[in-house]
């Protein structure tokens, strides 16, 4: 439910932003001010998003659900800033997106270090700060990310023992994308290798 709500809210705001609607542009600016911060400490975010679906869902831990939703959307707002194509892209998991920041067949140690630091964050606010660093790099290279999936993962991440499961998913998608790059490189003709899109 968190991911569905995040996806619905992003779709609404992203459509408005890309269409140049002033209300959506203002909403993204407000969301950006909350990036990397505790949503409860940023009153400007209150009432900006439709949280009703979260409150209608039985069994959700409301505070964790809201924190995951706000964290995901504030990060997306940083990612979408000044971009004229959608940065919320379904199916693009965090690890795979980070791997796309690197050249095929190579590991950029500085980027890997940022990714590893995000994976070892002990609290959601610190994780949000470290993810913001990664999102800024993704924006620079116009690499999209599935923020609905991220919202679901951030919700699970907050439960005892579940952060390991989320980290494994990020690492798995990073490694799977790396294997895909290597397989593509192995079959590419030498003249095509430098222009292959991954």
């Amino acid at each position: 439910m968190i991911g569905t709500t995040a996806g619905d809210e992003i779709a609404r705001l992203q459509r408005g932003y890309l269409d140049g609607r002033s209300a959506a542009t203002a909403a993204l600016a407000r969301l950006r001010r909350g990036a990397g911060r505790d949503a409860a400490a940023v009153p400007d975010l209150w009432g900006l998003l439709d949280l009703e679906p979260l409150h209608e869902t039985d069994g959700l831990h409301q505070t964790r659900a809201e924190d995951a939703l706000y964290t995901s959307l504030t990060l997306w707002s940083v990612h979408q800033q000044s971009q004229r194509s959608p940065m919320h892209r379904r199916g693009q998991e965090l690890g795979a997106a980070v791997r796309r920041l690197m050249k095929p067949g190579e590991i950029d140690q500085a980027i890997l270090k940022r990714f590893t630091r995000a994976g070892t964050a002990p609290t959601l606010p610190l994780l949000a700060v470290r993810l913001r660093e990664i999102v800024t790099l993704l924006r620079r290279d116009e690499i999209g990310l599935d923020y609905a999936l991220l919202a679901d993962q951030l919700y699970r991440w907050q439960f005892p023992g579940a952060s390991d499961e989320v980290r494994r998913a990020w690492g798995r998608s990073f490694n799977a994308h790396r294997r895909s790059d290597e397989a593509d490189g192995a079959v590419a003709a030498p003249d095509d290798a430098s222009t292959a899109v991954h």
Side-chain angles (χ1 to χ4, degrees), residues 14 76 79-80 83 85-101 134-135 137-147:
Q14 188 166 255
W76 164 75
H79 199 165
Q80 189 63 58
Q83 298 296 321
S85 61
M87 291 296 104
H88 167 54
R89 298 189 187 150
R90 298 297 299 214
Q92 178 84 305
E93 194 165 359
L94 180 65
V98 169
R99 184 62 188 89
R100 290 187 61 205
L101 289 166
I134 292 171
V135 162
L137 296 176
L138 296 174
R139 181 182 67 199
R140 178 198 69 192
D141 289 5
E142 298 181 12
I143 298 168
L145 182 63
D146 189 335
Y147 283 94

Side-chain angles (χ1 to χ4, degrees), residues 14-131:
Q14 188 166 255
R15 190 167 41 251
Y17 180 77
L18 295 176
D19 287 346
R21 294 185 203 137
S22 58
T25 301
L28 262 72
R30 289 172 63 189
L31 282 167
R32 280 195 302 276
R33 286 194 287 276
R37 300 174 64 191
D38 180 355
V42 187
D44 193 37
L45 296 181
W46 300 349
L48 182 60
L49 304 176
D50 180 10
L51 302 181
E52 191 173 339
L54 301 184
H55 299 292
E56 293 174 344
T57 304
D58 292 334
L60 277 185
H61 187 291
Q62 293 299 321
T63 300
R64 289 173 177 166
E66 290 176 9
D67 287 348
L69 184 70
Y70 275 115
T71 300
S72 179
L73 266 83
T74 57
L75 289 169
W76 164 75
S77 69
V78 170
H79 199 165
Q80 189 63 58
Q81 183 182 18
S82 302
Q83 298 296 321
R84 299 316 307 163
S85 61
M87 291 296 104
H88 167 54
R89 298 189 187 150
R90 298 297 299 214
Q92 178 84 305
E93 194 165 359
L94 180 65
V98 169
R99 184 62 188 89
R100 290 187 61 205
L101 289 166
M102 304 177 191
K103 293 179 181 178
E106 297 180 14
I107 294 294
D108 183 311
Q109 291 300 323
I111 293 172
L112 182 60
K113 183 176 180 181
R114 286 176 189 256
F115 184 46
T116 303
R117 287 182 67 234
T120 59
T123 66
L124 185 62
L126 185 54
L127 176 58
V129 168
R130 292 177 179 178
L131 288 176

